[in-house]
Amino acid sequence: VRNIQLALLRLQDCKQLAKDYEWDKLADTLNEQIFHTDLYRSCYVLKRADNFLTPESRDVVGFDWGSCAWRHCGALADAQEAIDELEHLLGVLEPFECLFCIDIVERSLRDIFDVTTEYHDTTLQIPAYQPLQRMSDVNEESSMDGFDTEFMDTLAFLRNSAS
């Protein structure tokens, strides 16, 4: 469970690296053992923890992405798939798209975190989840990630007047 907590903390760094276009550092971070070997081993232990977790909790943890087949895959497979997408498309994706993938990983790990509460390492403080803000919800004061609001207003006017 401690490895899940450490991965959640490391994801906070990943978010900032994505926002700052730090692709090389983000790639290095995503290749760390905590997102691969440590995560997989920890989830396999939890998946087999019959005496400690309920069957429902073990189902939340789920299976390895590569061995999932047609059954409900669970949080591990979701996290693995999103990490894989990030690793392979890093530098192609825009920061917001990277943050979307990171959010999938975070929500998956938080699902595991939530079903293992009695085994948490209390010395590790996990920040509260901050939902990803959709681009459609960004207000004009934030300048829409560099877009000129006057341009967007003109574009909206032209679209509406074309009909």
Side-chain angles (χ1 to χ4, degrees), residues 125-136:
Q125 296 302 310
I126 305 301
Y129 175 68
Q130 299 295 319
L132 186 62
Q133 187 178 16
R134 297 179 307 179
M135 290 301 291
S136 60

Side-chain angles (χ1 to χ4, degrees), residues 13-73:
D13 298 331
C14 291
K15 289 179 188 180
Q16 192 58 50
L17 292 170
K19 289 177 186 176
D20 294 340
Y21 290 83
E22 293 285 351
W23 305 136
D24 291 337
K25 291 179 183 176
L26 182 54
D28 290 343
T29 303
L30 289 170
N31 282 315
E32 290 177 0
Q33 192 169 331
I34 194 68
F35 292 119
H36 294 281
T37 310
D38 293 349
L39 177 63
Y40 307 155
R41 287 180 182 165
S42 297
C43 287
Y44 290 141
V45 167
L46 291 172
K47 182 66 179 169
R48 291 176 179 83
D50 297 346
N51 296 327
F52 301 97
L53 297 176
T54 66
E56 294 80 15
S57 295
R58 292 193 316 274
D59 285 345
V60 167
V61 174
F63 300 91
D64 179 64
W65 184 33
S67 64
C68 183
W70 289 100
R71 59 188 168 232
H72 170 73
C73 297

Side-chain angles (χ1 to χ4, degrees), residues 1 4-5 8 46 53-54 56-58 60-61 75 106-120 126-129:
V1 175
I4 304 302
Q5 291 176 268
L8 279 167
L46 291 172
L53 297 176
T54 66
E56 294 80 15
S57 295
R58 292 193 316 274
V60 167
V61 174
E106 180 175 7
R107 286 184 287 122
S108 299
L109 296 180
R110 284 182 182 276
D111 286 349
I112 298 169
F113 182 72
D114 289 344
V115 298
T116 59
T117 54
E118 61 191 89
Y119 305 106
H120 291 173
I126 305 301
Y129 175 68

